[in-house]
Amino acid sequence: MLNPVDSPVPGRLTGVLFIDGAFRAGSGAALPVVNPATGQEVGTIPATQPDELNDAVAAARRAFKTWSRLNARKRADALHRLGDAIAADADAMARIMTAEQGKPVNEARGEILKLADACHFYAEEATRVHGEVVPNDQNGYQSLVLREPIGVVGAITPWNYPAELVGWKLCASLAAGCTIVIKPAELTPFTALAIAEKTLAAGIPAGVVNVVTGKGSQVGQALVEHPDVDKIAFTGSSAVGLHIQQSCTQVKRLSLELGGNCPMIVTQSADLALAVKGAARRGFRNAGQICIAVNRIYVARSLYEDFVRELGAAADKLTVADGLQTPDADLGAMASGEPLGKTQDHIADALAKGARLVAGGRAPEGEAYAAGFFFRPTVVADCTHDMKVMTEETFGPLIGVMPFDTLEEAIALANDTPYGLASYLYARDMVDIQTVSAGLDYGNVAINNVDAGIMNAPYGGRKQSGIGYEHGREGLLEYFNFKHVRLFHGVGA
Ligand code: NAD
């Protein structure tokens, strides 16, 4: 059976390519996909070959001719159907995601349902795209500023949010009238293939959506360099994002959603319990494997010891388990040995430089954890900026905490990073709120909450965290070219 969704989970999934509206067994080597909670192989995916990638791009180019001209209402209807099809199969899709990525099933289901919401959001936005008529410097002329879809989009995505990060690019592309070739992370290809299957159920025409699988350095790189791909929409690490920017062999549109090293500031006026709750949620959800995870927290000295103790207690209460067996666990397995190893390295570095271990710092004990990449949520206190936990993206369940004395010092420490994705502030005093939020050099600032991204508002990073936006109207504009049409009609000339 080629269809990944029809295979029982946990069971073997059969990887395929999705090209021109049909699943196709790839001709390249089979690459294993492993359940990070058990170490067992979930299935294999084909390494897409150059001729197969050419087929996918050619299918997207052919489909663009008709999809880009289809009226917006019809494209919106298709996106609504896609959202419905995804929501209707959320349970099965969530289990596929958990089997390949490790996050608990309930959390995975939540992500699938948010993807369904994104389909409906962009369906509505599709019908509201309009150009402008702008003033002219001479009588008798009219200038129209039109928005036209860019063309064929190459989407390259990471493994931490296997549905949403594919879906935002897919939904915005389809709403704008673009077609898309998706290269999902090699750790989490089956969620992307399950989404592709839903595009069939939604009646989205052949070639509008295509999925190719394989390694980033081969298939991803070939997609970036493909002469018939008009735009690359990339989410992943800053290192690979920079490499992609430098390796485009021709001028093409690029949006880059990259890494983060996100600070939280807790001022003297903060609601301590609320701040602790927010820190534990945004620091440890998805086992900390989130670009907008709270990595480091600066706490007003008067609250510092209380905050450290309460955050440690909150971390110790969180449950860690196999996300398929325990759907409501707080943390599942980490996605692979790489983020786990980096987490352990950052902890060892901090402790060697004088940090205090407050919670975690170890894998959970017991037979059930022996074969997977599990780790307890960890808090280290008394940190300084010569520690990796405070200056590099950990991408694991680790938070570093340090005290501050003045707001200026806290803002300077928060901005002392090459990244500029998301930042967090807990404060009740309006002067604290105004001073800190104005001073933070970040694309997103969440105050007294930790939900830095919502569908209606632009989401993007500054500095080494990226170029361009997802979400909101701004996210949709990334998929358009402007065209200025200047017309001489002579009236009033
Ligand atoms: P990664 O950069 O290693 O890989 C991302 C994708 O790029 C994968 O599909 C990979 O196969 C592909 N790739 C790798 N080398 C390539 C190349 N030479 N050419 C083209 N494609 C290539 O990232 P990851 O480890 O999968 O994900 C974690 C990173 O993603 C973290 O740094 C995280 O902060 C970032 N991220 C950012 C956001 C955001 O919205 N800003 C969201 C999620 C994750």
Side-chain angles (χ1 to χ4, degrees), residues 156-160 165 183-186 216-217 220-221 224 234-237 240 243-244 257-260 291 393 395 421 459:
I156 302 175
T157 54
W159 46 261
N160 61 330
L165 295 171
K183 205 302 281 176
E186 42 274 58
S217 55
Q221 185 77 38
V224 169
F234 174 79
T235 301
S237 60
V240 173
H243 171 78
I244 286 177
E257 298 289 344
L258 307 178
C291 52
E393 180 181 52
F395 228 59
L421 189 54
Y459 167 81

PDB file of all heavy atoms in Angstrom, residues 156-160 165 183-186 216-217 220-221 224 234-237 240 243-244 257-260 291 393 395 421 459, ligand 1:
ATOM      1  N   ILE A 156      10.841  23.999   2.120  1.00  0.00           N
ATOM      2  CA  ILE A 156      11.757  23.090   2.834  1.00  0.00           C
ATOM      3  C   ILE A 156      11.523  23.286   4.322  1.00  0.00           C
ATOM      4  O   ILE A 156      11.582  24.411   4.816  1.00  0.00           O
ATOM      5  CB  ILE A 156      13.227  23.405   2.454  1.00  0.00           C
ATOM      6  CG1 ILE A 156      13.413  23.272   0.938  1.00  0.00           C
ATOM      7  CG2 ILE A 156      14.182  22.481   3.197  1.00  0.00           C
ATOM      8  CD1 ILE A 156      14.778  23.675   0.432  1.00  0.00           C
ATOM      9  N   THR A 157      11.240  22.188   5.035  1.00  0.00           N
ATOM     10  CA  THR A 157      10.742  22.328   6.417  1.00  0.00           C
ATOM     11  C   THR A 157      11.497  21.425   7.402  1.00  0.00           C
ATOM     12  O   THR A 157      12.024  20.384   7.011  1.00  0.00           O
ATOM     13  CB  THR A 157       9.237  21.980   6.462  1.00  0.00           C
ATOM     14  OG1 THR A 157       9.049  20.688   5.894  1.00  0.00           O
ATOM     15  CG2 THR A 157       8.414  22.996   5.694  1.00  0.00           C
ATOM     16  N   PRO A 158      11.497  21.824   8.685  1.00  0.00           N
ATOM     17  CA  PRO A 158      12.175  21.021   9.712  1.00  0.00           C
ATOM     18  C   PRO A 158      11.223  20.018  10.356  1.00  0.00           C
ATOM     19  O   PRO A 158      10.065  19.905   9.963  1.00  0.00           O
ATOM     20  CB  PRO A 158      12.615  22.090  10.713  1.00  0.00           C
ATOM     21  CG  PRO A 158      11.518  23.089  10.666  1.00  0.00           C
ATOM     22  CD  PRO A 158      10.980  23.077   9.267  1.00  0.00           C
ATOM     23  N   TRP A 159      11.711  19.340  11.397  1.00  0.00           N
ATOM     24  CA  TRP A 159      10.980  18.206  11.980  1.00  0.00           C
ATOM     25  C   TRP A 159      10.218  18.558  13.241  1.00  0.00           C
ATOM     26  O   TRP A 159       9.513  17.718  13.782  1.00  0.00           O
ATOM     27  CB  TRP A 159      11.981  17.071  12.302  1.00  0.00           C
ATOM     28  CG  TRP A 159      13.214  17.561  12.998  1.00  0.00           C
ATOM     29  CD1 TRP A 159      14.421  17.812  12.382  1.00  0.00           C
ATOM     30  CD2 TRP A 159      13.382  17.913  14.367  1.00  0.00           C
ATOM     31  NE1 TRP A 159      15.328  18.296  13.313  1.00  0.00           N
ATOM     32  CE2 TRP A 159      14.712  18.368  14.546  1.00  0.00           C
ATOM     33  CE3 TRP A 159      12.545  17.888  15.484  1.00  0.00           C
ATOM     34  CZ2 TRP A 159      15.222  18.796  15.762  1.00  0.00           C
ATOM     35  CZ3 TRP A 159      13.037  18.320  16.712  1.00  0.00           C
ATOM     36  CH2 TRP A 159      14.370  18.763  16.840  1.00  0.00           C
ATOM     37  N   ASN A 160      10.361  19.759  13.776  1.00  0.00           N
ATOM     38  CA  ASN A 160       9.785  19.982  15.114  1.00  0.00           C
ATOM     39  C   ASN A 160       8.272  20.218  15.068  1.00  0.00           C
ATOM     40  O   ASN A 160       7.563  19.841  15.984  1.00  0.00           O
ATOM     41  CB  ASN A 160      10.515  21.116  15.844  1.00  0.00           C
ATOM     42  CG  ASN A 160      10.437  22.438  15.133  1.00  0.00           C
ATOM     43  OD1 ASN A 160      10.342  22.483  13.908  1.00  0.00           O
ATOM     44  ND2 ASN A 160      10.468  23.519  15.868  1.00  0.00           N
ATOM     45  N   LEU A 165       4.418  23.645   9.962  1.00  0.00           N
ATOM     46  CA  LEU A 165       5.436  24.351   9.175  1.00  0.00           C
ATOM     47  C   LEU A 165       5.331  24.023   7.686  1.00  0.00           C
ATOM     48  O   LEU A 165       5.659  24.854   6.832  1.00  0.00           O
ATOM     49  CB  LEU A 165       6.832  24.055   9.731  1.00  0.00           C
ATOM     50  CG  LEU A 165       7.010  24.614  11.154  1.00  0.00           C
ATOM     51  CD1 LEU A 165       8.313  24.130  11.773  1.00  0.00           C
ATOM     52  CD2 LEU A 165       6.945  26.124  11.158  1.00  0.00           C
ATOM     53  N   LYS A 183       9.620  19.719   0.408  1.00  0.00           N
ATOM     54  CA  LYS A 183      10.649  18.757   0.833  1.00  0.00           C
ATOM     55  C   LYS A 183      10.648  18.780   2.364  1.00  0.00           C
ATOM     56  O   LYS A 183      11.271  19.635   2.989  1.00  0.00           O
ATOM     57  CB  LYS A 183      12.016  19.177   0.280  1.00  0.00           C
ATOM     58  CG  LYS A 183      13.034  18.053   0.116  1.00  0.00           C
ATOM     59  CD  LYS A 183      13.374  17.267   1.359  1.00  0.00           C
ATOM     60  CE  LYS A 183      14.354  17.976   2.266  1.00  0.00           C
ATOM     61  NZ  LYS A 183      14.590  17.214   3.539  1.00  0.00           N
ATOM     62  N   PRO A 184       9.928  17.833   2.990  1.00  0.00           N
ATOM     63  CA  PRO A 184       9.886  17.816   4.461  1.00  0.00           C
ATOM     64  C   PRO A 184      11.190  17.274   5.034  1.00  0.00           C
ATOM     65  O   PRO A 184      11.987  16.662   4.318  1.00  0.00           O
ATOM     66  CB  PRO A 184       8.725  16.861   4.757  1.00  0.00           C
ATOM     67  CG  PRO A 184       8.666  15.946   3.576  1.00  0.00           C
ATOM     68  CD  PRO A 184       9.153  16.728   2.383  1.00  0.00           C
ATOM     69  N   ALA A 185      11.375  17.495   6.348  1.00  0.00           N
ATOM     70  CA  ALA A 185      12.554  16.967   7.036  1.00  0.00           C
ATOM     71  C   ALA A 185      12.597  15.450   6.891  1.00  0.00           C
ATOM     72  O   ALA A 185      11.561  14.782   6.901  1.00  0.00           O
ATOM     73  CB  ALA A 185      12.506  17.358   8.504  1.00  0.00           C
ATOM     74  N   GLU A 186      13.793  14.916   6.793  1.00  0.00           N
ATOM     75  CA  GLU A 186      13.925  13.467   6.619  1.00  0.00           C
ATOM     76  C   GLU A 186      13.466  12.689   7.853  1.00  0.00           C
ATOM     77  O   GLU A 186      13.098  11.528   7.749  1.00  0.00           O
ATOM     78  CB  GLU A 186      15.352  13.064   6.203  1.00  0.00           C
ATOM     79  CG  GLU A 186      16.498  13.756   6.910  1.00  0.00           C
ATOM     80  CD  GLU A 186      16.901  15.100   6.271  1.00  0.00           C
ATOM     81  OE1 GLU A 186      16.025  15.995   6.167  1.00  0.00           O
ATOM     82  OE2 GLU A 186      18.066  15.257   5.909  1.00  0.00           O
ATOM     83  N   GLY A 216      18.374  16.728   3.034  1.00  0.00           N
ATOM     84  CA  GLY A 216      18.434  18.143   2.722  1.00  0.00           C
ATOM     85  C   GLY A 216      19.602  18.500   1.822  1.00  0.00           C
ATOM     86  O   GLY A 216      19.460  19.271   0.864  1.00  0.00           O
ATOM     87  N   SER A 217      20.761  17.908   2.122  1.00  0.00           N
ATOM     88  CA  SER A 217      21.961  18.260   1.356  1.00  0.00           C
ATOM     89  C   SER A 217      21.862  17.816  -0.095  1.00  0.00           C
ATOM     90  O   SER A 217      22.595  18.311  -0.957  1.00  0.00           O
ATOM     91  CB  SER A 217      23.191  17.632   2.015  1.00  0.00           C
ATOM     92  OG  SER A 217      22.979  16.238   2.136  1.00  0.00           O
ATOM     93  N   GLY A 220      16.958  18.726  -0.945  1.00  0.00           N
ATOM     94  CA  GLY A 220      16.690  20.124  -0.594  1.00  0.00           C
ATOM     95  C   GLY A 220      17.555  21.068  -1.413  1.00  0.00           C
ATOM     96  O   GLY A 220      17.079  22.054  -1.988  1.00  0.00           O
ATOM     97  N   GLN A 221      18.833  20.725  -1.481  1.00  0.00           N
ATOM     98  CA  GLN A 221      19.775  21.570  -2.231  1.00  0.00           C
ATOM     99  C   GLN A 221      19.372  21.631  -3.716  1.00  0.00           C
ATOM    100  O   GLN A 221      19.403  22.698  -4.332  1.00  0.00           O
ATOM    101  CB  GLN A 221      21.191  20.977  -2.093  1.00  0.00           C
ATOM    102  CG  GLN A 221      22.295  21.806  -2.721  1.00  0.00           C
ATOM    103  CD  GLN A 221      22.672  23.028  -1.877  1.00  0.00           C
ATOM    104  OE1 GLN A 221      22.694  22.960  -0.659  1.00  0.00           O
ATOM    105  NE2 GLN A 221      22.922  24.140  -2.528  1.00  0.00           N
ATOM    106  N   VAL A 224      16.519  23.983  -4.148  1.00  0.00           N
ATOM    107  CA  VAL A 224      16.988  25.374  -4.074  1.00  0.00           C
ATOM    108  C   VAL A 224      17.603  25.803  -5.414  1.00  0.00           C
ATOM    109  O   VAL A 224      17.384  26.916  -5.893  1.00  0.00           O
ATOM    110  CB  VAL A 224      18.028  25.525  -2.935  1.00  0.00           C
ATOM    111  CG1 VAL A 224      18.733  26.871  -2.999  1.00  0.00           C
ATOM    112  CG2 VAL A 224      17.358  25.350  -1.570  1.00  0.00           C
ATOM    113  N   PHE A 234      11.674  28.590   3.340  1.00  0.00           N
ATOM    114  CA  PHE A 234      12.466  27.686   4.184  1.00  0.00           C
ATOM    115  C   PHE A 234      12.221  27.948   5.654  1.00  0.00           C
ATOM    116  O   PHE A 234      12.217  29.102   6.099  1.00  0.00           O
ATOM    117  CB  PHE A 234      13.957  27.891   3.879  1.00  0.00           C
ATOM    118  CG  PHE A 234      14.874  27.123   4.800  1.00  0.00           C
ATOM    119  CD1 PHE A 234      15.100  25.768   4.619  1.00  0.00           C
ATOM    120  CD2 PHE A 234      15.514  27.757   5.862  1.00  0.00           C
ATOM    121  CE1 PHE A 234      15.942  25.057   5.480  1.00  0.00           C
ATOM    122  CE2 PHE A 234      16.363  27.056   6.720  1.00  0.00           C
ATOM    123  CZ  PHE A 234      16.575  25.708   6.525  1.00  0.00           C
ATOM    124  N   THR A 235      12.030  26.892   6.437  1.00  0.00           N
ATOM    125  CA  THR A 235      12.109  26.976   7.891  1.00  0.00           C
ATOM    126  C   THR A 235      13.134  25.959   8.358  1.00  0.00           C
ATOM    127  O   THR A 235      13.090  24.800   7.941  1.00  0.00           O
ATOM    128  CB  THR A 235      10.758  26.675   8.563  1.00  0.00           C
ATOM    129  OG1 THR A 235       9.785  27.608   8.091  1.00  0.00           O
ATOM    130  CG2 THR A 235      10.856  26.820  10.077  1.00  0.00           C
ATOM    131  N   GLY A 236      14.065  26.413   9.198  1.00  0.00           N
ATOM    132  CA  GLY A 236      15.086  25.507   9.710  1.00  0.00           C
ATOM    133  C   GLY A 236      16.152  26.290  10.444  1.00  0.00           C
ATOM    134  O   GLY A 236      15.909  27.411  10.902  1.00  0.00           O
ATOM    135  N   SER A 237      17.327  25.722  10.524  1.00  0.00           N
ATOM    136  CA  SER A 237      18.399  26.348  11.301  1.00  0.00           C
ATOM    137  C   SER A 237      18.984  27.555  10.564  1.00  0.00           C
ATOM    138  O   SER A 237      18.935  27.641   9.323  1.00  0.00           O
ATOM    139  CB  SER A 237      19.501  25.325  11.561  1.00  0.00           C
ATOM    140  OG  SER A 237      20.018  24.881  10.326  1.00  0.00           O
ATOM    141  N   VAL A 240      21.742  26.491   7.966  1.00  0.00           N
ATOM    142  CA  VAL A 240      21.267  26.007   6.653  1.00  0.00           C
ATOM    143  C   VAL A 240      20.580  27.151   5.893  1.00  0.00           C
ATOM    144  O   VAL A 240      20.733  27.273   4.677  1.00  0.00           O
ATOM    145  CB  VAL A 240      20.347  24.779   6.815  1.00  0.00           C
ATOM    146  CG1 VAL A 240      19.717  24.387   5.489  1.00  0.00           C
ATOM    147  CG2 VAL A 240      21.125  23.604   7.387  1.00  0.00           C
ATOM    148  N   HIS A 243      23.235  29.134   4.301  1.00  0.00           N
ATOM    149  CA  HIS A 243      23.796  28.346   3.186  1.00  0.00           C
ATOM    150  C   HIS A 243      22.858  28.415   1.972  1.00  0.00           C
ATOM    151  O   HIS A 243      23.320  28.583   0.844  1.00  0.00           O
ATOM    152  CB  HIS A 243      23.995  26.899   3.636  1.00  0.00           C
ATOM    153  CG  HIS A 243      24.366  25.981   2.534  1.00  0.00           C
ATOM    154  ND1 HIS A 243      25.639  25.902   2.012  1.00  0.00           N
ATOM    155  CD2 HIS A 243      23.616  25.124   1.795  1.00  0.00           C
ATOM    156  CE1 HIS A 243      25.662  25.035   1.028  1.00  0.00           C
ATOM    157  NE2 HIS A 243      24.436  24.532   0.873  1.00  0.00           N
ATOM    158  N   ILE A 244      21.555  28.309   2.209  1.00  0.00           N
ATOM    159  CA  ILE A 244      20.590  28.370   1.096  1.00  0.00           C
ATOM    160  C   ILE A 244      20.654  29.739   0.427  1.00  0.00           C
ATOM    161  O   ILE A 244      20.689  29.850  -0.804  1.00  0.00           O
ATOM    162  CB  ILE A 244      19.166  28.057   1.617  1.00  0.00           C
ATOM    163  CG1 ILE A 244      19.053  26.556   1.898  1.00  0.00           C
ATOM    164  CG2 ILE A 244      18.090  28.512   0.631  1.00  0.00           C
ATOM    165  CD1 ILE A 244      17.732  26.122   2.491  1.00  0.00           C
ATOM    166  N   GLU A 257      12.672  31.337   7.787  1.00  0.00           N
ATOM    167  CA  GLU A 257      12.250  31.341   9.197  1.00  0.00           C
ATOM    168  C   GLU A 257      13.275  30.491   9.931  1.00  0.00           C
ATOM    169  O   GLU A 257      13.288  29.267   9.784  1.00  0.00           O
ATOM    170  CB  GLU A 257      10.844  30.751   9.340  1.00  0.00           C
ATOM    171  CG  GLU A 257       9.752  31.516   8.626  1.00  0.00           C
ATOM    172  CD  GLU A 257       9.421  32.849   9.285  1.00  0.00           C
ATOM    173  OE1 GLU A 257       9.796  33.069  10.447  1.00  0.00           O
ATOM    174  OE2 GLU A 257       8.792  33.684   8.612  1.00  0.00           O
ATOM    175  N   LEU A 258      14.136  31.133  10.729  1.00  0.00           N
ATOM    176  CA  LEU A 258      15.328  30.438  11.219  1.00  0.00           C
ATOM    177  C   LEU A 258      15.324  30.269  12.738  1.00  0.00           C
ATOM    178  O   LEU A 258      14.293  30.344  13.377  1.00  0.00           O
ATOM    179  CB  LEU A 258      16.561  31.194  10.726  1.00  0.00           C
ATOM    180  CG  LEU A 258      16.580  31.426   9.203  1.00  0.00           C
ATOM    181  CD1 LEU A 258      17.801  32.226   8.789  1.00  0.00           C
ATOM    182  CD2 LEU A 258      16.521  30.107   8.439  1.00  0.00           C
ATOM    183  N   GLY A 259      16.496  30.060  13.290  1.00  0.00           N
ATOM    184  CA  GLY A 259      16.612  29.709  14.693  1.00  0.00           C
ATOM    185  C   GLY A 259      16.304  30.855  15.640  1.00  0.00           C
ATOM    186  O   GLY A 259      16.168  32.013  15.234  1.00  0.00           O
ATOM    187  N   GLY A 260      16.214  30.518  16.923  1.00  0.00           N
ATOM    188  CA  GLY A 260      15.964  31.521  17.949  1.00  0.00           C
ATOM    189  C   GLY A 260      16.765  31.204  19.206  1.00  0.00           C
ATOM    190  O   GLY A 260      17.320  30.112  19.347  1.00  0.00           O
ATOM    191  N   CYS A 291      11.367  26.795  17.959  1.00  0.00           N
ATOM    192  CA  CYS A 291      12.210  27.956  17.650  1.00  0.00           C
ATOM    193  C   CYS A 291      11.880  29.122  18.577  1.00  0.00           C
ATOM    194  O   CYS A 291      12.717  29.975  18.808  1.00  0.00           O
ATOM    195  CB  CYS A 291      12.042  28.339  16.199  1.00  0.00           C
ATOM    196  SG  CYS A 291      10.325  28.554  15.756  1.00  0.00           S
ATOM    197  N   GLU A 393      21.099  28.523  20.729  1.00  0.00           N
ATOM    198  CA  GLU A 393      19.821  27.809  20.741  1.00  0.00           C
ATOM    199  C   GLU A 393      20.052  26.370  21.196  1.00  0.00           C
ATOM    200  O   GLU A 393      20.815  25.643  20.572  1.00  0.00           O
ATOM    201  CB  GLU A 393      19.237  27.815  19.322  1.00  0.00           C
ATOM    202  CG  GLU A 393      17.920  27.111  19.211  1.00  0.00           C
ATOM    203  CD  GLU A 393      17.394  27.120  17.777  1.00  0.00           C
ATOM    204  OE1 GLU A 393      18.129  26.724  16.855  1.00  0.00           O
ATOM    205  OE2 GLU A 393      16.236  27.533  17.577  1.00  0.00           O
ATOM    206  N   PHE A 395      17.460  23.989  21.763  1.00  0.00           N
ATOM    207  CA  PHE A 395      16.470  23.133  21.086  1.00  0.00           C
ATOM    208  C   PHE A 395      16.237  21.849  21.869  1.00  0.00           C
ATOM    209  O   PHE A 395      16.225  20.740  21.323  1.00  0.00           O
ATOM    210  CB  PHE A 395      16.892  22.839  19.643  1.00  0.00           C
ATOM    211  CG  PHE A 395      15.757  23.053  18.671  1.00  0.00           C
ATOM    212  CD1 PHE A 395      15.146  24.286  18.558  1.00  0.00           C
ATOM    213  CD2 PHE A 395      15.288  22.008  17.876  1.00  0.00           C
ATOM    214  CE1 PHE A 395      14.093  24.484  17.681  1.00  0.00           C
ATOM    215  CE2 PHE A 395      14.236  22.200  16.999  1.00  0.00           C
ATOM    216  CZ  PHE A 395      13.646  23.443  16.903  1.00  0.00           C
ATOM    217  N   LEU A 421      13.989  36.329  17.179  1.00  0.00           N
ATOM    218  CA  LEU A 421      12.692  35.737  16.811  1.00  0.00           C
ATOM    219  C   LEU A 421      11.597  36.132  17.813  1.00  0.00           C
ATOM    220  O   LEU A 421      10.817  37.034  17.546  1.00  0.00           O
ATOM    221  CB  LEU A 421      12.844  34.218  16.710  1.00  0.00           C
ATOM    222  CG  LEU A 421      11.681  33.432  16.134  1.00  0.00           C
ATOM    223  CD1 LEU A 421      11.274  33.957  14.772  1.00  0.00           C
ATOM    224  CD2 LEU A 421      12.023  31.947  16.023  1.00  0.00           C
ATOM    225  N   TYR A 459       4.362  36.773  11.628  1.00  0.00           N
ATOM    226  CA  TYR A 459       5.280  36.029  12.491  1.00  0.00           C
ATOM    227  C   TYR A 459       6.594  35.892  11.746  1.00  0.00           C
ATOM    228  O   TYR A 459       6.642  35.303  10.659  1.00  0.00           O
ATOM    229  CB  TYR A 459       4.651  34.664  12.784  1.00  0.00           C
ATOM    230  CG  TYR A 459       5.584  33.665  13.397  1.00  0.00           C
ATOM    231  CD1 TYR A 459       5.860  33.694  14.758  1.00  0.00           C
ATOM    232  CD2 TYR A 459       6.200  32.691  12.614  1.00  0.00           C
ATOM    233  CE1 TYR A 459       6.720  32.772  15.315  1.00  0.00           C
ATOM    234  CE2 TYR A 459       7.065  31.768  13.169  1.00  0.00           C
ATOM    235  CZ  TYR A 459       7.316  31.818  14.521  1.00  0.00           C
ATOM    236  OH  TYR A 459       8.173  30.913  15.078  1.00  0.00           O
TER     237      TYR A 459
HETATM  238  P1  NAD B   1      17.791  22.083   9.473  1.00  0.00           P
HETATM  239  O1  NAD B   1      18.202  23.437   9.043  1.00  0.00           O
HETATM  240  O2  NAD B   1      18.858  21.089   9.759  1.00  0.00           O
HETATM  241  O3  NAD B   1      16.857  21.402   8.373  1.00  0.00           O
HETATM  242  C1  NAD B   1      15.683  22.027   7.904  1.00  0.00           C
HETATM  243  C2  NAD B   1      15.335  21.491   6.530  1.00  0.00           C
HETATM  244  O4  NAD B   1      16.372  21.872   5.622  1.00  0.00           O
HETATM  245  C3  NAD B   1      15.251  19.967   6.445  1.00  0.00           C
HETATM  246  O5  NAD B   1      14.195  19.608   5.567  1.00  0.00           O
HETATM  247  C4  NAD B   1      16.578  19.587   5.837  1.00  0.00           C
HETATM  248  O6  NAD B   1      16.519  18.363   5.131  1.00  0.00           O
HETATM  249  C5  NAD B   1      16.801  20.752   4.884  1.00  0.00           C
HETATM  250  N1  NAD B   1      18.203  20.980   4.479  1.00  0.00           N
HETATM  251  C6  NAD B   1      19.325  20.665   5.141  1.00  0.00           C
HETATM  252  N2  NAD B   1      20.423  21.019   4.407  1.00  0.00           N
HETATM  253  C7  NAD B   1      19.955  21.598   3.269  1.00  0.00           C
HETATM  254  C8  NAD B   1      20.570  22.179   2.125  1.00  0.00           C
HETATM  255  N3  NAD B   1      21.907  22.232   1.991  1.00  0.00           N
HETATM  256  N4  NAD B   1      19.791  22.684   1.149  1.00  0.00           N
HETATM  257  C9  NAD B   1      18.443  22.648   1.269  1.00  0.00           C
HETATM  258  N5  NAD B   1      17.798  22.091   2.308  1.00  0.00           N
HETATM  259  C10 NAD B   1      18.544  21.576   3.315  1.00  0.00           C
HETATM  260  O7  NAD B   1      16.835  22.297  10.730  1.00  0.00           O
HETATM  261  P2  NAD B   1      16.174  21.207  11.664  1.00  0.00           P
HETATM  262  O8  NAD B   1      17.225  20.619  12.538  1.00  0.00           O
HETATM  263  O9  NAD B   1      15.324  20.293  10.845  1.00  0.00           O
HETATM  264  O10 NAD B   1      15.183  22.136  12.536  1.00  0.00           O
HETATM  265  C11 NAD B   1      15.574  22.821  13.657  1.00  0.00           C
HETATM  266  C12 NAD B   1      15.849  24.285  13.348  1.00  0.00           C
HETATM  267  O11 NAD B   1      14.716  24.889  12.735  1.00  0.00           O
HETATM  268  C13 NAD B   1      16.097  25.092  14.616  1.00  0.00           C
HETATM  269  O12 NAD B   1      17.203  25.947  14.436  1.00  0.00           O
HETATM  270  C14 NAD B   1      14.818  25.922  14.766  1.00  0.00           C
HETATM  271  O13 NAD B   1      14.976  27.109  15.482  1.00  0.00           O
HETATM  272  C15 NAD B   1      14.435  26.146  13.356  1.00  0.00           C
HETATM  273  N6  NAD B   1      13.015  26.484  13.282  1.00  0.00           N
HETATM  274  C16 NAD B   1      12.636  27.780  13.022  1.00  0.00           C
HETATM  275  C17 NAD B   1      11.282  28.134  12.996  1.00  0.00           C
HETATM  276  C18 NAD B   1      10.830  29.531  12.711  1.00  0.00           C
HETATM  277  O14 NAD B   1       9.640  29.730  12.487  1.00  0.00           O
HETATM  278  N7  NAD B   1      11.693  30.530  12.717  1.00  0.00           N
HETATM  279  C19 NAD B   1      10.319  27.146  13.237  1.00  0.00           C
HETATM  280  C20 NAD B   1      10.737  25.857  13.516  1.00  0.00           C
HETATM  281  C21 NAD B   1      12.081  25.523  13.527  1.00  0.00           C
END
